[in-house]
Amino acid sequence: MSMQSGQSGQQAAQTARFHVRKVAVCGAGVMGAQIAAHCVNAGVPVVLFDLPAKEGDKNGIAKRAIAQLAKLSPAPLGTPALANLIVPANYDDDLHRLGECDLVIEAIAERMDWKRDLYQKLAPAIKHDAIIASNTSGLSITQLGAALPESLRHRFCGVHFFNPPRYMPLVELIPTADTEPALLDLLETFLVSQLGKGVVRAKDTPNFIGNRIGVFGILSVFAQSDKFGLPYELVDELTGTRLDRAKSGTFRTADVVGLDTLAHVIRTMQDQLPQDPFHGHFGVPPVVEGLIQQGALGQKAGAGFYRKEGKAILRLDPARKEYVPADAKIDESVAAILAERDPAKKLRALHDSEHPQAQFLWAVLRDSFHYSAVHLEAIADTARQVDLAMKWGFGHAQGPFEIWQSAGWRDVAGWIQQDIDAGKTLSPAPLPQWALRGPVWEAQGVHTPAGSWNPRDKRYEGRSTLPVYQRQIGAPRLAGEAQGLDATVVYENEAIRCWTLPAPHPRDVLIVSFKTKMHTLSPGVVRGIVHAVDLAEASYKALVIGQLDDPFSAGADLKAMLPAFMEGGAAAVEPIEREMQDMVLRLRYAQVPVVAALAGLALGGGCELAVHCAQRVAHFETYIGLVEVGIGLVPGAGGLAYCARRAAELQAEAAPDAPLLAFVKKFALAVASAQVSKSAPDAQSMGYLRGSDPIVMNRHELLYVAVRQAQALAEAGWRPPLPSRFPVAGRDGIATLKAQLLNMKVGGFISEHDFVVAEKVAHVLCGGDLDPGSLVDEAWMLKREREAFLELLVQPKTQERIAGILETGKPVRN
């Protein structure tokens, strides 16, 4: 007994000291390389292992995988330079490097024998206190762990990332009976906070939760589309955004994933779940088998359910075995049902309709409810895990239990049971008793303010109490759960809301959020921001500008500006521009630190607002840029003044004799081409974020970090910068930039009006017709901005661009 207690205590001490300082990823295939990429996105160095190459450099396989990361779309890396943090390695020469790694992730092909053989090879080199995890998408974690020495089994689990790892939130965490619980907590904390993931704990059953429910859903769509005779493009229209799912629908998604990959996951279910009452539908559909045999594996092979010919998208006609135009349309009556906002009315209308398209949709939804209920207890602890897995792993707006509950638990349960009794379902398996009576029936759902239904323990179980989740402010809740954030509203009008966080968070930092669509900067928002600064200076230590949902801000509200222009021309717009400029200067010189909490889009005026704050805290997926040239204008709210000043600062930091124009040119080209960052690190390289601006990987931790960052600045005695003059590139810089723009116009890279707008950008950025190195202040630069903005506003081609963006939402090239 004393020996067991001593061993447990030693393991607990090792766990308490656990930090992920370096990760080893074993397997440089598609998933392994992209997991490595996302780790380095988060600033975690990685050693990427693969087999030794048979010829040439023994690290050739891993090196080629790292090089390929820069070519993939969507991009796995936030910026290509991050690939330098991945060290290539091979199993023959570099196993000693495992001793440097705190987390070892195996991500090789889905072969039990290959994985077990690899574990035996890796085990002697793995640190005694490292975590070992498999990224298997469905193999038994318990059987895999049995290949490890007994001394390491308590540190082994499954950690299943969804593809692509940078963009898909879901990671399934699967323990074995031997896995140390405290270790799982630490790994979940790392995945959530450091990698920004949504973690679902799954039971060790084939395909776990996400693929078990998701792939069954795909098989249901295959079966029901055949039954109702619906073509693929129509099914995708019905099961895409209209159903609040991924835009690509079902068959296009299968093409993107790869039909061979889909078939593998289906076969895993077919082979490992012989007792599943739905097993008769687990076979790979004949059409999929046929496409695989022809090498038509989907998007990666150029053909699958769809094939592109020129600009035309064709879809497979399985009866004719040829590709035909994809032109089937959704029926207007069904489209009207799907547009219904009340979930109870929507689902009842689908259930009651006699139209085949509506009957198809009801059947698909019913199958997902039925299957999820039958298997909930076997695959997950609570209904919450199933719903989150489908939201985070498959892009569904709501999980199956959420939809069922929102539409009326008792009514839907009755409809499902009627279809089971009538033999309409894919299996005669009855609904579990908990779905038809008892607490769930009385509460009319599996999600309540007290928690989500745990069918094994027959109780409602609350969310995880891990400390990492206390960092998440305003994270969305499932339908039926306790909603909202217990914040204190200090001031509110139709444009903005000023509020503070509830205890135990700091209450001496004011937060201002916008209420406009896409959080655009209307005149009311601009005045509201100034009022928020006044409130913060009077009663708070700091101010944070941030939103509970994306985006940060899509820029100035053009529609709000248009009436003034129509009535009074450019002269009527000048006060609006001046007010915007005064607002960003109010932020820059506020007597309390102002921190911008950035996520999603921060475009145009949103970018200008952010760069004038004392500091920025950015979610990794922040897309920031000055994009006004796209509508034929120049940035008019201090954006070019900031770029000119920042160029001078960068020149001074680089070297006394560094040419200023080199730094100005970088900003000029970014603005003139309306360049938007591809990530927060990319925004740092562009100059819109600084190296000292923190980057947060989990979107829901953004306000938590921003508030504490603002508080820290205040506690450190922060003072606003003193107004100062800075050098500009002057007329020589204008001439150089203009020559480059002229070459771009002659080469056909920019239009005539693009050239006119870009020339204005160059003129303002260089400070106007001044000697090179002349010192100017912000007032000088802001006046140049206003002049250029108003001069362009009266140009017919600029007005065409503005009208086009307001009418269609798409830029006009003229």
Side-chain angles (χ1 to χ4, degrees):
M1 181 179 294
S2 62
M3 288 178 63
Q4 290 176 345
S5 299
Q7 184 181 26
S8 177
Q10 182 183 15
Q11 290 175 359
Q14 292 169 354
T15 299
R17 295 193 300 268
F18 177 75
H19 298 286
V20 180
R21 288 158 292 202
K22 184 178 288 187
V23 171
V25 177
C26 300
V30 172
M31 280 301 293
Q34 293 200 46
I35 291 170
H38 194 61
C39 287
V40 298
N41 282 339
V44 181
V46 175
V47 182
L48 180 61
F49 284 87
D50 210 299
L51 295 168
K54 294 180 179 179
E55 297 180 359
D57 187 342
K58 292 181 74 173
N59 288 332
I61 295 175
K63 286 183 175 180
R64 285 192 292 273
I66 295 169
Q68 183 66 20
L69 290 172
K71 303 175 184 177
L72 296 179
S73 180
L77 293 163
T79 180
L82 289 169
N84 297 327
L85 295 175
I86 306 175
V87 175
N90 70 84
Y91 301 125
D92 280 1
D93 302 332
D94 301 312
L95 286 183
H96 64 279
R97 289 186 175 275
L98 291 173
E100 308 165 5
C101 300
D102 304 296
L103 174 61
V104 178
I105 300 174
E106 169 270 306
I108 67 170
E110 291 289 273
R111 284 274 300 268
M112 177 71 73
D113 54 342
W114 290 359
K115 290 177 184 285
R116 288 168 63 95
D117 287 347
L118 180 62
Y119 294 176
Q120 292 173 8
K121 187 172 188 176
L122 301 179
I126 294 174
K127 291 200 305 181
H128 70 281
D129 58 350
I131 295 177
I132 310 104
S134 174
N135 184 57
T136 177
S137 60
L139 297 179
S140 169
I141 302 300
T142 299
Q143 291 182 38
L144 288 171
L148 288 167
E150 191 172 349
S151 61
L152 290 178
R153 289 177 192 169
H154 71 284
R155 306 193 69 81
F156 178 75
C157 63
V159 57
H160 178 215
F161 289 80
F162 271 60
N163 190 30
R166 172 181 168 183
Y167 301 97
M168 295 303 295
L170 182 61
V171 171
E172 293 176 312
L173 197 56
I174 312 101
T176 71
D178 297 324
T179 308
E180 184 181 331
L183 178 145
L184 281 175
D185 291 347
L186 289 170
L187 183 54
E188 181 169 349
T189 297
F190 169 76
L191 292 167
V192 169
S193 191
Q194 299 300 305
L195 297 190
K197 293 300 167 186
V199 171
V200 164
R201 295 206 186 186
K203 294 183 179 180
D204 188 12
T205 55
N207 284 358
F208 314 128
I209 299 174
N211 280 340
R212 181 78 175 269
I213 301 297
V215 173
F216 170 79
I218 292 172
L219 291 172
S220 167
V221 170
F222 285 165
Q224 301 298 351
S225 62
D226 281 349
K227 176 180 177 180
F228 291 99
L230 304 182
Y232 302 136
E233 73 272 23
L234 179 55
V235 170
D236 284 343
E237 179 75 8
L238 291 168
T239 61
T241 53
R242 292 180 187 269
L243 203 61
D244 293 324
R245 296 183 175 182
K247 181 179 180 180
S248 52
T250 304
F251 293 103
R252 282 190 179 88
T253 298
D255 273 358
V256 171
V257 169
L259 300 188
D260 51 343
T261 301
L262 176 63
H264 171 79
V265 179
I266 293 172
R267 291 189 186 105
T268 299
M269 294 176 69
Q270 187 176 36
D271 295 343
Q272 298 188 29
L273 295 167
Q275 304 305 315
D276 191 306
F278 295 78
H279 186 266
H281 294 275
F282 285 177
V284 178
V287 65
V288 175
E289 291 279 21
L291 287 168
I292 292 173
Q293 290 173 8
Q294 297 169 27
L297 304 180
Q299 191 175 80
K300 61 188 175 185
F305 287 107
Y306 295 91
R307 189 177 73 194
K308 188 174 183 180
E309 290 187 3
K311 294 184 178 181
I313 302 295
L314 306 180
R315 58 95 175 164
L316 179 69
D317 182 332
R320 295 161 56 182
K321 295 184 179 180
E322 60 184 43
Y323 288 90
V324 300
D327 53 10
K329 301 295 182 183
I330 186 172
D331 184 82
E332 290 183 5
S333 66
V334 177
I337 294 174
L338 292 175
E340 170 62 54
R341 299 179 66 88
D342 184 319
K345 291 181 179 178
K346 178 189 293 187
L347 203 61
R348 178 174 289 278
L350 290 174
H351 174 266
D352 293 348
S353 173
E354 295 183 359
H355 196 285
Q357 295 177 16
Q359 292 176 346
F360 160 79
L361 285 169
W362 159 247
V364 166
L365 290 170
R366 176 207 63 210
D367 290 347
S368 71
F369 303 155
H370 188 194
Y371 192 80
S372 299
V374 167
H375 291 293
L376 173 58
E377 184 172 353
I379 65 176
D381 288 332
T382 71
R384 178 187 300 110
Q385 312 304 318
V386 171
D387 280 344
L388 289 178
M390 296 311 296
K391 288 159 73 85
W392 290 339
F394 283 81
H396 293 189
Q398 287 189 311
F401 291 121
E402 274 192 290
I403 300 172
W404 181 350
Q405 179 167 335
S406 298
W409 186 272
R410 295 178 184 179
D411 285 343
V412 176
W415 299 338
I416 298 170
Q417 193 60 54
Q418 289 172 5
D419 282 4
I420 293 172
D421 295 341
K424 294 181 179 180
T425 55
L426 298 184
S427 166
L431 286 173
Q433 290 302 303
W434 58 260
L436 299 171
R437 59 173 59 95
V440 171
W441 190 259
E442 293 167 7
Q444 299 194 55
V446 291
H447 304 305
T448 71
S452 293
W453 182 247
N454 181 323
R456 184 192 63 187
D457 297 343
K458 296 179 174 56
R459 65 182 180 88
Y460 285 97
E461 183 176 305
R463 282 183 170 247
S464 171
T465 57
L466 280 178
V468 68
Y469 293 110
Q470 304 308 307
R471 296 167 58 91
Q472 297 193 0
I473 294 172
R477 292 290 184 258
L478 300 174
E481 287 189 311
Q483 300 291 318
L485 177 67
D486 187 20
T488 300
V489 177
V490 175
Y491 171 82
E492 185 171 13
N493 63 18
E494 73 285 349
I496 59 112
R497 179 182 293 113
C498 295
W499 53 287
T500 60
L501 295 176
H505 301 291
R507 307 196 69 177
D508 53 4
V509 176
L510 186 66
I511 303 170
V512 60
S513 303
F514 311 157
K515 296 168 68 174
T516 48
K517 184 178 180 181
M518 297 290 286
H519 303 137
T520 53
L521 300 177
S522 67
V525 169
V526 171
R527 295 178 197 120
I529 292 170
V530 174
H531 183 63
V533 176
D534 293 340
L535 289 173
E537 288 180 337
S539 306
Y540 297 89
K541 287 184 175 179
L543 176 66
V544 167
I545 304 175
Q547 327 294 349
L548 286 172
D549 57 342
D550 292 352
F552 174 74
S553 175
D557 187 347
L558 289 174
K559 287 185 178 179
M561 189 184 297
L562 196 59
F565 177 72
M566 296 299 291
E567 184 175 341
V573 175
E574 198 271 347
I576 300 175
E577 279 302 294
R578 189 182 293 271
E579 191 173 29
M580 289 272 288
Q581 292 181 342
D582 290 344
M583 179 268 290
V584 299
L585 291 182
R586 186 76 176 90
L587 295 175
R588 176 168 168 77
Y589 295 110
Q591 295 304 304
V592 293
V594 182
V595 173
L598 305 175
L601 300 176
L603 303 179
C607 174
E608 291 172 301
L609 185 162
V611 297
H612 281 86
C613 291
Q615 193 168 49
R616 291 134 299 278
V617 176
H619 180 228
F620 186 85
E621 301 299 345
T622 295
Y623 314 113
I624 184 170
L626 296 170
V627 297
E628 287 83 352
V629 298
I631 54 170
L633 295 170
V634 298
L640 294 180
Y642 163 81
C643 291
R645 185 181 67 245
R646 187 65 185 137
E649 291 170 350
L650 291 169
Q651 185 251 359
E653 293 167 8
D657 57 348
L660 174 60
L661 185 58
F663 299 95
V664 173
K665 179 181 176 182
K666 173 183 172 182
F667 285 106
L669 292 179
V671 176
S673 60
Q675 185 179 348
V676 176
S677 71
K678 299 176 179 64
S679 66
D682 192 34
Q684 286 180 327
S685 68
M686 293 172 65
Y688 295 135
L689 295 181
R690 302 194 181 209
S692 57
D693 290 336
I695 295 175
V696 174
M697 296 303 293
N698 193 303
R699 169 64 177 89
H700 302 307
E701 293 185 6
L702 183 63
L703 283 176
Y704 176 95
V705 175
V707 165
R708 281 156 179 78
Q709 197 72 19
Q711 189 181 49
L713 288 173
E715 294 291 344
W718 181 89
R719 297 284 299 173
L722 295 174
S724 60
R725 298 195 299 166
F726 51 88
V728 290
R731 63 178 69 89
D732 288 3
I734 295 172
T736 301
L737 293 175
K738 185 176 177 180
Q740 293 180 330
L741 293 170
L742 188 60
N743 287 337
M744 293 173 68
K745 186 180 74 168
V746 172
F749 297 102
I750 60 175
S751 69
E752 179 67 40
H753 195 55
D754 290 333
F755 175 79
V756 170
V757 179
E759 188 179 16
K760 292 287 188 186
V761 169
H763 185 86
V764 176
L765 263 181
C766 294
D769 188 17
L770 299 173
D771 292 334
S774 295
L775 297 179
V776 301
D777 58 15
E778 286 169 326
W780 174 271
M781 294 299 300
L782 292 174
K783 184 179 181 182
R784 305 284 86 71
E785 271 192 17
R786 289 197 306 274
E787 291 172 348
F789 185 94
L790 297 173
E791 287 169 6
L792 287 169
L793 188 58
V794 299
Q795 297 249 3
K797 288 188 178 294
T798 289
Q799 293 173 17
E800 285 177 17
R801 292 189 180 190
I802 294 173
I805 203 76
L806 291 175
E807 289 172 10
T808 67
K810 298 179 180 179
V812 174
R813 184 77 187 275
N814 58 7

